[in-house]
Amino acid sequence: MSLSLRPTDATLGAVITDVKLSALDAAAWHDIESAFLDYGLLIFPGQHLNAKAQLEFALRFGEIEVLAEGMTTIPIANKTPDGKLLEAESDRMKLLRGNEGWHTDSSYMRLASKAAVLSAHVVPASGSQTQWADARAAYDALDDATRARIAGLAAHHSYFYSQAKIGHQVEVGAAYGFFAGESPLRPLVKIHPVTGRAALYAGRHAARIPGMEQAEAEALIKHLNEFICQPPRVHTHHWQPGDVVVWDNRRLLHRACPYDYSQERVMMHTRIKGDIETESALNARLMAA
Ligand code: OGA
Ligand code: MN
């Protein structure tokens, strides 16, 4: 390893300081790629990437998942394009507040996400944090009875469900490109396609478990989510403008922490597509029909 890498105190995450992401050589990229698989979350302070450089960095991890309005890198910002702070009751703000629940990106899409790059541009003076939790370490720490109980179980993931839970009625067919119909079905235990390691896979979009009564399914999903998001499996990053992070959506959950919404917060997000063989929903073929 030629990089200077400092692991966090948690089971996931490392901070890398002596590298310029906009000018990586092959050796540095090799180290970053293997650290990404080892730590799940990499934090690069002080990079100040522009949108083009962020996209180029994200492309090293794979193809880009196109998000709203055909954009490959989207602002996660509490202001309108003409610079006004979002109203608390606006749909856009409810979408952002949704990020405050533990989740893994695009689990409600036919193809779940592989990874995401997020950078800080404007940070509230009173601070802003994001947290990540290690669902792989959680699987390793799980008791045998729960492991046996969840083996073979899968959950339907739904954005309509997770947003409704926080009082946001997403319209079916709304311009987010989500499924209007059946929600993708995903195993509660995900085998990582590269490392072969098992991780719990749930988060706030996990809505229903086929064959299980709803109250029981919700209690199980809640229990798994809470178990994942316990120390030493949680890392909190305090953002500074210029910071860039990348995380593995196949292994981690993450959430935004509440901040002072009367202050501007501008982040840029680039999402990397999952591999079709390993991040497709179990029912994707049925759904495509
Ligand atoms: C995301 C996300 C959290 C944050 O970009 O996918 O969940 O802190 N962001 O903005
Ligand atoms: Mn997210």
Side-chain angles (χ1 to χ4, degrees), residues 76 99 101 103-106 116 205 247 249 254-256 269 271:
I76 305 264
N99 280 342
H103 64 282
T104 174
D105 293 324
S106 295
H205 306 303
W247 67 86
N249 272 316
H254 63 281
R255 69 171 175 187
H269 172 116
R271 193 169 297 179

Side-chain angles (χ1 to χ4, degrees), residues 31-74:
D31 288 351
I32 288 172
E33 193 176 27
S34 76
F36 170 75
L37 294 169
D38 287 346
Y39 294 97
L41 165 72
L42 300 178
I43 298 169
F44 302 92
Q47 294 288 331
H48 297 279
L49 296 185
N50 61 29
K52 181 169 174 284
Q54 175 159 333
L55 179 61
E56 279 167 8
F57 178 58
L59 277 165
R60 291 177 177 272
F61 292 88
E63 278 180 54
I64 305 304
E65 180 179 335
V66 174
L67 298 160
E69 292 121 36
M71 288 159 81
T72 49
T73 295
I74 56 160

Side-chain angles (χ1 to χ4, degrees), residues 11-289:
T11 59
L12 73 157
V15 181
I16 297 179
T17 43
D18 65 343
V19 72
K20 199 168 170 220
L21 293 184
S22 56
L24 288 180
D25 61 25
W29 166 245
H30 177 269
D31 288 351
I32 288 172
E33 193 176 27
S34 76
F36 170 75
L37 294 169
D38 287 346
Y39 294 97
L41 165 72
L42 300 178
I43 298 169
F44 302 92
Q47 294 288 331
H48 297 279
L49 296 185
N50 61 29
K52 181 169 174 284
Q54 175 159 333
L55 179 61
E56 279 167 8
F57 178 58
L59 277 165
R60 291 177 177 272
F61 292 88
E63 278 180 54
I64 305 304
E65 180 179 335
V66 174
L67 298 160
E69 292 121 36
M71 288 159 81
T72 49
T73 295
I74 56 160
I76 305 264
N78 62 342
K79 60 175 195 173
T80 61
D82 53 6
K84 290 199 204 69
L85 281 177
L86 295 180
E87 303 280 346
E89 290 312 307
S90 62
D91 279 357
R92 180 73 199 155
M93 197 63 197
K94 287 176 182 163
L95 207 133
L96 292 183
R97 296 296 303 272
N99 280 342
E100 294 172 4
W102 288 105
H103 64 282
T104 174
D105 293 324
S106 295
S107 66
Y108 47 80
M109 300 292 279
R110 181 177 301 158
L111 189 61
S113 162
K114 170 181 183 176
V117 175
L118 187 65
S119 59
H121 296 262
V122 180
V123 177
S126 53
S128 160
Q129 298 88 39
T130 303
Q131 295 183 306
W132 290 266
D134 190 348
R136 178 176 99 180
Y139 184 80
D140 290 345
L142 208 60
D143 60 276
D144 289 344
T146 310
R147 275 196 201 181
R149 183 176 175 212
I150 65 174
L153 292 183
H156 286 287
H157 287 240
S158 164
Y159 189 75
F160 302 102
Y161 168 87
S162 51
Q163 286 301 92
K165 278 212 143 177
I166 60 162
H168 182 204
Q169 300 303 323
V170 178
E171 278 174 48
V172 173
Y176 302 126
F178 307 136
F179 287 118
E182 191 48 87
S183 311
L185 187 60
R186 304 187 175 283
L188 288 177
V189 179
K190 180 168 179 64
I191 304 302
H192 194 286
V194 185
T195 65
R197 298 277 298 270
L200 292 174
Y201 194 87
R204 74 189 191 99
H205 306 303
R208 296 183 301 283
I209 297 176
M212 193 179 285
E213 200 255 313
Q214 186 58 12
E216 191 187 344
E218 291 202 7
L220 175 58
I221 289 164
K222 182 167 183 277
H223 170 71
L224 296 176
N225 285 337
E226 286 175 358
F227 185 73
I228 295 166
C229 303
Q230 295 296 323
R233 297 186 283 274
V234 178
H235 178 70
T236 304
H237 180 60
H238 297 255
W239 290 101
Q240 293 294 324
D243 293 351
V244 174
V245 312
V246 59
W247 67 86
D248 191 335
N249 272 316
R250 302 164 297 186
R251 165 178 167 191
L252 306 181
L253 294 179
H254 63 281
R255 69 171 175 187
C257 296
Y259 57 96
D260 178 351
Y261 307 115
S262 72
Q263 298 180 36
E264 221 176 273
R265 180 182 194 255
V266 180
M267 317 288 286
M268 295 297 282
H269 172 116
T270 315
R271 193 169 297 179
I272 294 112
K273 273 189 198 174
D275 294 314
I276 288 173
E277 302 80 63
T278 52
E279 278 72 58
S280 289
L282 292 174
N283 55 342
R285 221 172 268 127
L286 289 175
M287 293 166 71

